[in-house]
């Protein structure tokens, strides 16, 4: 068990990887419209990452994952496999991008609306975004992992939503998923205390209905058991001496 504290040289590389991952999300945004397939989104991102960024799409072949990005639509919680699915008006989709540049990973995801989403779809999307923002706001040396989980759980449940338990944030660096696990639920004042030099994404998966999830027969796609809508946002963070830096936030972009 070891949590890597990144050196200044590693942090410089993590900044680059984080920026590249964020740039992929900005690049793909105008393509996310009714009529496009998730497979086409994957192909566009794959080509951009490999050809333009000269980087590696981390999901491809990761424990056998068959594509370069994850696309999770409506009641899909996470790890949706891009394919023939055609986006239609009213869908909500999470696009999750992880790139490897110079040996280091940057991991970020966000929600997109296809046309006009329902009131409920907007709501779960907004609540999950607020959960991430509230969690980011308290990241600094001395904050405990349980504090992070608590603010997310508290905000989700106060708004009638639920927190997925089976998947979590994670240390990140040379490896896609390092220690520690960053749970999106918990009790204040418990768990590991953050230290400057740690890097990890926070990536709450918030359901409009019940928290339980189900794994599909493809062994990747995770859906809500009750088929309720699910939304997720993710940023990779660096703990600094005075607080944090959001490595996957581009200058001028919202959190
Ligand atoms: N990007 C996801 C995360 O945030 C992990 C995807 S693993 C994959 O941790 F194999 F499905 F790509
Ligand atoms: Co991710
Ligand atoms: Co992640």
């Amino acid at each position: 068990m070891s949590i890597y504290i990144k050196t200044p040289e590693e942090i410089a590389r993590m900044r680059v990887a984080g920026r590249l991952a964020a740039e992929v999300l900005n690049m793909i945004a105008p393509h996310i419209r009714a009529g496009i397939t998730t497979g086409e989104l994957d192909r566009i991102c794959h080509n951009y990452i490999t050809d333009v960024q000269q980087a590696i799409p981390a999901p491809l072949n990761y424990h056998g994952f068959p594509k370069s990005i994850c696309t999770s639509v409506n009641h899909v919680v996470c790890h949706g496999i891009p394919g023939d699915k055609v986006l239609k008006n009213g869908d909500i989709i999470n696009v999750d991008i992880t790139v490897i540049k110079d040996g280091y990973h940057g991991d970020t995801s966000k929600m997109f609306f296809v046309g006009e989403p329902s009131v409920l779809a907007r709501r779960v999307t907004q609540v999950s975004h607020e959960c991430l923002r509230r969690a980011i706001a308290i990241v600094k040396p001395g904050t405990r992992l349980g504090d992070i989980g608590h603010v997310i759980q508290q905000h989700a449940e106060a708004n009638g939503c639920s927190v997925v338990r089976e998947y979590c944030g994670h240390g990140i660096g040379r490896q896609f998923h390092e220690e520690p696990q960053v749970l999106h639920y918990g009790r204040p004042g418990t768990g590991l205390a953050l230290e400057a030099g740690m890097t990890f994404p926070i990536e709450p998966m918030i359901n409009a209905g019940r928290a339980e999830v189900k794994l599909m027969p493809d062994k990747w796609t995770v859906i809500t058991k009750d088929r309720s809508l699910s939304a997720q946002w993710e940023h990779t963070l660096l703990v600094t001496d005075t607080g944090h830096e959001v490595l996957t936030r581009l200058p001028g972009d919202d959190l």
Side-chain angles (χ1 to χ4, degrees):
M1 143 107 184
S2 63
I3 289 159
Y4 299 108
I5 300 297
K6 271 69 179 181
T7 66
E9 293 73 24
E10 290 182 291
I11 289 167
R13 291 189 193 188
M14 292 291 296
R15 278 198 187 97
V16 174
R19 176 171 57 76
L20 293 180
E23 286 174 352
V24 178
L25 283 181
N26 280 359
M27 180 280 300
I28 202 63
H31 294 278
I32 301 175
R33 310 178 58 116
I36 197 165
T37 67
T38 53
E40 287 171 293
L41 297 175
D42 175 72
R43 181 184 51 80
I44 296 165
C45 290
H46 177 93
N47 291 343
Y48 186 81
I49 293 165
T50 57
D51 300 350
V52 177
Q53 298 186 329
Q54 311 273 300
I56 299 167
L60 187 61
N61 300 321
Y62 179 77
H63 294 283
F65 191 78
K67 296 288 179 176
S68 296
I69 68 173
C70 297
T71 51
S72 302
V73 180
N74 295 339
H75 65 290
V76 178
V77 172
C78 63
H79 303 166
I81 302 173
D84 297 336
K85 186 177 180 59
V86 180
L87 296 184
K88 63 176 194 309
N89 187 40
D91 284 344
I92 59 171
I93 178 174
N94 173 279
V95 177
D96 194 339
I97 303 291
T98 311
V99 304
I100 311 170
K101 183 72 172 180
D102 272 336
Y104 286 80
H105 291 72
D107 188 7
T108 185
S109 79
K110 66 188 286 189
M111 299 299 297
F112 296 91
F113 294 143
V114 182
E116 280 297 309
S118 66
V119 171
L120 188 61
R122 282 182 194 279
R123 183 170 170 71
V124 67
T125 298
Q126 187 184 330
V127 169
S128 67
H129 193 209
E130 290 164 354
C131 285
L132 174 59
R133 292 174 56 128
R134 284 171 180 241
I136 289 173
I138 64 167
V139 170
K140 62 177 190 301
T143 295
R144 312 277 297 264
L145 286 178
D147 300 333
I148 292 174
H150 175 72
V151 299
I152 294 168
Q153 181 180 8
Q154 195 281 329
H155 188 66
E157 293 177 356
N159 286 280
C161 297
S162 62
V163 177
V164 171
R165 303 294 202 272
E166 287 83 352
Y167 303 88
C168 58
H170 47 92
I172 189 168
R174 273 205 170 277
Q175 297 177 69
F176 197 160
H177 296 105
E178 300 179 351
E179 290 173 53
Q181 294 194 1
V182 181
L183 303 182
H184 303 122
Y185 60 94
R187 282 181 294 121
T190 64
L192 181 87
L194 300 181
E195 290 173 46
M198 289 181 180
T199 51
F200 56 89
I202 302 175
E203 50 182 301
M205 282 142 274
I206 305 299
N207 298 347
R210 295 180 54 86
E212 289 78 17
V213 301
K214 194 179 125 183
L215 189 62
M216 295 297 278
D218 65 21
K219 296 280 175 68
W220 281 105
T221 308
V222 179
I223 66 170
T224 55
K225 209 170 189 177
D226 63 6
R227 304 292 199 276
S228 64
L229 293 170
S230 188
Q232 177 180 30
W233 296 74
E234 174 174 28
H235 271 306
T236 298
L237 308 173
L238 163 71
V239 183
T240 64
D241 290 329
T242 52
H244 60 265
E245 200 178 305
V246 183
L247 299 179
T248 44
R249 181 188 192 178
L250 298 175
D253 276 5
D254 297 339
L255 254 190

